[in-house]
Amino acid sequence: MITQNPFVPFSVAMVTPFDQKEKLSLSGIYSLIDYYKQNHVPALLISGSTGEQHSMTIEERQILYQEAKSAGKDNLLLIGGVAAVRTTDAIRLAEAAQREKLDGIMLGFPPYLRMSQLEAAAYVKRVCTVTDLPIMLYNNPPRTGFNLELNTLYHLVEKYPQIKALKEAGNPSNAPLVKKELGSSFSVLTGFDLHLFDNMQNGYDGITSVIGNVFPKEMQQIVELIKLEEWAFAKEQFSKLLPTVHTILELGALRAIKYVLTENNIEAGICREPLSPLSKQEKKIVMAVWQNREVL
């Protein structure tokens, strides 16, 4: 059984590159991962929500795991996003993550289905039986319609010690309760860049950052400052990013992030429909704030 915890305080939720025909871009995977490595990103979450996971077939996601591992080699941690409406598909993804020797799995719950706690626990158990990779459970009620109750989490961690972390996008008040029950070695992460300070003051250990796609060094520095309890300086640095961050979020994070990366010669590609490319006016707006951004 693998026991180390790869769910570090700062990682980036990688976008998935699609070409103009909406096909998975293999060259784009290498371009993106080279960019993350150049910016010393310690870990990537691949095929998560930011990676448009549910727009991809199981086969495409398996290819993404394979190519990301080939591009990343052992220079950064790779966490494979696993979530599917069918348990059998989640199992196929977990087996692929194991086969490609990824460093861990983020196991999300099926979207749209309103499962019981028993059904959710059975889903997790089935995945845990096919891999010994470290697992982070992803509780995201706003998107899935399902909320993982703490007693269910505790039961699963007791039965499957490979569950090393929780990404909590539901009730942030759960974080200190989880830490108290499961100890300091169990990680609780957020995915909300704008809530980073509140979350970490509330007991979270770190973030899988979306904005880190365009501000990789800056967001990592801010997380490091928070871990050193340099709160005032961290907030000052974060405030410099906010005009750009707010614009990106207002225009649609994935659309704007991919455009900014592409304009900086990184093959981020396009989003799959129904997400649309930025309009000419939107491109002008996002590039205006990008070109006038403050450098930390």
Side-chain angles (χ1 to χ4, degrees):
M1 180 68 68
I2 297 172
T3 58
Q4 71 267 27
N5 188 339
F7 306 110
V8 294
F10 177 73
S11 62
V12 171
M14 173 180 162
V15 296
T16 301
F18 302 111
D19 64 23
Q20 294 301 313
K21 294 183 178 180
E22 298 193 7
K23 293 188 177 183
L24 184 64
S25 170
L26 301 188
S27 64
I29 295 170
Y30 285 79
S31 177
L32 278 163
I33 290 185
D34 184 59
Y35 158 74
Y36 297 125
K37 288 195 293 187
Q38 288 179 14
N39 284 278
H40 307 291
V41 171
L44 289 176
L45 168 63
I46 58 176
S47 185
S49 302
T50 303
E52 299 174 71
Q53 61 180 185
H54 290 298
S55 80
M56 288 189 281
T57 65
I58 302 303
E59 290 75 19
E60 285 177 320
R61 292 166 71 179
Q62 291 171 330
I63 291 169
L64 176 59
Y65 294 167
Q66 182 179 40
E67 297 300 326
K69 182 63 178 180
S70 176
K73 301 188 186 302
D74 294 319
N75 295 317
L76 74 176
L77 297 166
L78 292 176
I79 309 302
V82 171
V85 172
R86 298 187 64 197
T87 300
T88 52
D89 287 337
I91 287 171
R92 289 173 62 197
L93 291 168
E95 289 173 335
Q98 175 94 19
R99 184 169 59 250
E100 301 304 334
K101 299 182 180 179
L102 302 189
D103 298 284
I105 286 170
M106 184 182 77
L107 179 57
F109 293 95
Y112 194 76
L113 301 179
R114 294 186 178 272
M115 300 181 296
S116 69
Q117 296 297 308
L118 285 175
E119 289 167 333
Y123 169 83
V124 173
K125 290 174 183 178
R126 290 285 305 280
V127 172
C128 286
T129 59
V130 300
T131 178
D132 62 3
L133 290 177
I135 289 174
M136 174 168 65
L137 298 182
Y138 186 16
N139 187 41
N140 192 358
R143 292 205 179 200
T144 64
F146 167 79
N147 180 58
L148 180 69
E149 294 179 1
L150 292 184
N151 285 339
T152 306
L153 170 67
Y154 301 155
H155 163 74
L156 287 167
V157 173
E158 180 180 10
K159 189 169 180 63
Y160 299 98
Q162 72 201 91
I163 300 173
K164 300 291 184 183
L166 172 71
K167 184 176 176 182
E168 178 60 82
N171 185 354
S173 298
N174 284 340
L177 300 176
V178 170
K179 298 294 290 186
K180 182 178 179 180
E181 178 71 21
L182 299 179
S184 60
S185 63
F186 189 90
S187 300
V188 181
L189 302 180
T190 182
F192 297 129
D193 292 271
L194 289 180
H195 299 169
L196 176 63
F197 291 91
D198 288 341
N199 286 161
M200 292 192 72
Q201 284 176 325
N202 199 41
Y204 283 70
D205 295 293
I207 186 170
T208 59
S209 175
V210 177
I211 293 302
N213 280 286
V214 290
F215 288 121
K217 290 181 179 178
E218 294 87 344
M219 288 304 301
Q220 183 171 3
Q221 179 190 21
I222 288 164
V223 171
E224 289 171 352
L225 287 169
I226 293 173
K227 300 297 279 187
L228 293 171
E229 298 189 356
E230 298 283 348
W231 292 93
F233 188 35
K235 288 179 179 178
E236 178 186 334
Q237 296 296 82
F238 191 62
S239 69
K240 296 176 182 179
L241 309 182
L242 282 176
T244 308
V245 170
H246 282 305
T247 299
I248 285 173
L249 295 178
E250 287 166 5
L251 293 177
L254 292 181
R255 302 166 69 234
I257 285 169
K258 286 190 171 185
Y259 179 72
V260 168
L261 291 174
T262 300
E263 287 296 297
N264 284 276
N265 299 313
I266 300 148
E267 293 181 51
I270 65 170
C271 298
R272 282 177 164 170
E273 290 185 355
L275 296 180
S276 62
L278 296 182
S279 67
K280 289 183 180 179
Q281 183 60 30
E282 288 173 329
K283 289 177 181 178
K284 289 180 181 178
I285 291 170
V286 73
M287 289 314 295
V289 295
W290 178 255
Q291 290 165 357
N292 292 307
R293 71 193 184 283
E294 290 192 62
V295 178
L296 303 195

